[in-house]
Amino acid sequence: MICVRTPKYSISINGELHGFFPGGRGLRQGDPMSSYLYTLVMEVFSGILIDQTSAKNFKYYWKCNSVKLSHLFFVDDVFLFCQADFASVALLKRGLDIFSSWSGLLPNKNKSEIFLSDGSPSLRNNILLAFGFNEGKLPVWYLGVPLYLPDLAKWIVLL
């Protein structure tokens, strides 16, 4: 934690280092420790989500059920998947809240979206209110790849 809480930086001018100054808020993008710490932190988040999705009232999206897929992490994005029922959504939300309280990391509500392909208007509203995220529109593309196919039904993805 000393490496995270007390970073110091130096400026190189013409190949020579000039002084050290303290970092303002811990690690920054490009810091060699960032990718290692991200991996460790996401392992904890993954464990929390696995614990939440092991509850008997959690329902996986039907195409994810055989492999028990409820989440994916890619670069700095988090994808959460479940059946669009409030019990399953509440378990994912609880996992996110536990992780946030432990780590101090919060999702950016302006950049996070929920994608719903089915459900009653009241269920849709309850899910959106529970997370406080915007509703994204399907089809959605991520890094040039479609994440929605017409045969998918009753799934949720949070970004």
Side-chain angles (χ1 to χ4, degrees), residues 40-55 58 60 70-71 73 80 88 90-105:
L40 290 171
V41 169
M42 290 299 105
E43 278 294 313
V44 172
F45 190 19
S46 183
I48 292 169
L49 292 172
I50 289 168
D51 184 56
Q52 292 301 304
T53 59
S54 66
F58 181 83
Y60 292 93
S70 64
H71 59 281
F73 304 132
L80 302 175
S88 299
L91 286 164
L92 288 180
K93 175 70 167 110
R94 184 168 183 260
L96 181 60
D97 290 344
I98 291 168
F99 174 73
S100 293
S101 71
W102 288 2
S103 67
L105 299 173

Side-chain angles (χ1 to χ4, degrees), residues 38-134:
Y38 175 80
T39 301
L40 290 171
V41 169
M42 290 299 105
E43 278 294 313
V44 172
F45 190 19
S46 183
I48 292 169
L49 292 172
I50 289 168
D51 184 56
Q52 292 301 304
T53 59
S54 66
K56 72 165 110 172
N57 58 340
F58 181 83
K59 294 180 185 136
Y60 292 93
Y61 162 65
W62 68 275
K63 285 197 172 190
C64 298
N65 192 37
S66 62
V67 292
K68 305 293 185 217
L69 177 68
S70 64
H71 59 281
L72 294 171
F73 304 132
F74 185 73
V75 188
D76 60 352
D77 294 318
V78 175
F79 299 87
L80 302 175
F81 307 93
C82 73
Q83 187 79 19
D85 69 89
F86 198 73
S88 299
V89 170
L91 286 164
L92 288 180
K93 175 70 167 110
R94 184 168 183 260
L96 181 60
D97 290 344
I98 291 168
F99 174 73
S100 293
S101 71
W102 288 2
S103 67
L105 299 173
L106 299 169
N108 183 333
K109 292 190 178 195
N110 294 323
K111 293 182 179 180
S112 300
E113 295 179 306
I114 295 179
F115 296 88
L116 299 157
S117 65
D118 202 1
S120 69
S122 64
L123 175 63
R124 297 171 82 86
N125 287 337
N126 287 338
I127 290 171
L128 292 168
L129 285 173
F131 280 92
F133 298 159
N134 297 317

